[in-house]
Amino acid sequence: MSEAVREAPKKERPEFRNIHVTELSNYRMPLASIVSILHRISGFMMFALLPFVLYLLQQSLLSEMTFAYLQGIASQPIVKLIILALVWGYMHHFCAGVRHLFMDLHFGLDKLSARKSAATVLAVSLSLTALVALKLFGVF
């Protein structure tokens, strides 16, 4: 009996190795990991720029002259792109946060649902950002 067990062919187990820096360009991350990394980046971006945004809010509330001055600055194209980046950060962080809340409630934890929810987060946040961009750049 022990001979039969010994002679049975062993299954090849997959070998998992750490990724080397030179192999990073060949590695394709899943969509859920991209959304997670973007969630962290957008959260850091909002946190890091919060003092600056609060300062601008304070300055805009001082008087009509400072409001008009900041309104003139905000009409510049580069400033509009910075505002658009902040809007994307907020939209993405909010949508990904709602996704994480649903996952905390044990909804959508399987692989297919997680992939669909990650794609939905990207689609919704980019669509909302595009709508704000159209309004910001005066299309409608």
Side-chain angles (χ1 to χ4, degrees):
M1 185 71 148
S2 63
E3 293 174 11
V5 173
R6 228 181 281 146
E7 292 178 14
K10 290 188 176 182
K11 243 183 173 175
E12 280 293 317
R13 294 183 64 191
E15 185 176 332
F16 299 105
R17 296 181 180 183
N18 292 336
I19 297 174
H20 193 264
V21 173
T22 58
E23 299 170 349
L24 284 177
S25 62
N26 299 333
Y27 182 71
R28 190 174 76 90
M29 289 194 302
L31 192 57
S33 67
I34 294 170
V35 168
S36 178
I37 290 170
L38 289 175
H39 182 74
R40 293 164 194 241
I41 290 171
S42 63
F44 176 75
M45 183 176 68
M46 288 188 309
F47 175 74
L49 292 176
L50 183 65
F52 181 66
V53 170
L54 290 176
Y55 172 75
L56 290 179
L57 177 65
Q58 176 195 4
Q59 292 299 313
S60 70
L61 296 175
L62 282 179
S63 68
E64 290 181 25
M65 286 179 35
T66 57
F67 180 79
Y69 177 72
L70 290 175
Q71 191 176 19
I73 290 175
S75 66
Q76 302 297 320
I78 190 73
V79 177
K80 286 183 179 183
L81 289 175
I82 293 170
I83 291 170
L84 194 61
L86 278 171
V87 167
W88 169 81
Y90 175 75
M91 295 294 183
H92 182 80
H93 200 77
F94 178 78
C95 292
V98 170
R99 175 181 182 256
H100 287 298
L101 286 175
F102 275 109
M103 292 175 87
D104 286 344
L105 295 172
H106 300 285
F107 293 118
L109 293 179
D110 58 301
K111 190 175 183 178
L112 183 62
S113 297
R115 188 177 295 148
K116 285 182 181 179
S117 66
T120 302
V121 163
L122 279 178
V124 168
S125 66
L126 289 174
S127 299
L128 291 173
T129 304
L131 286 174
V132 171
L134 291 175
K135 181 67 176 170
L136 188 62
F137 287 101
V139 176
F140 68 84

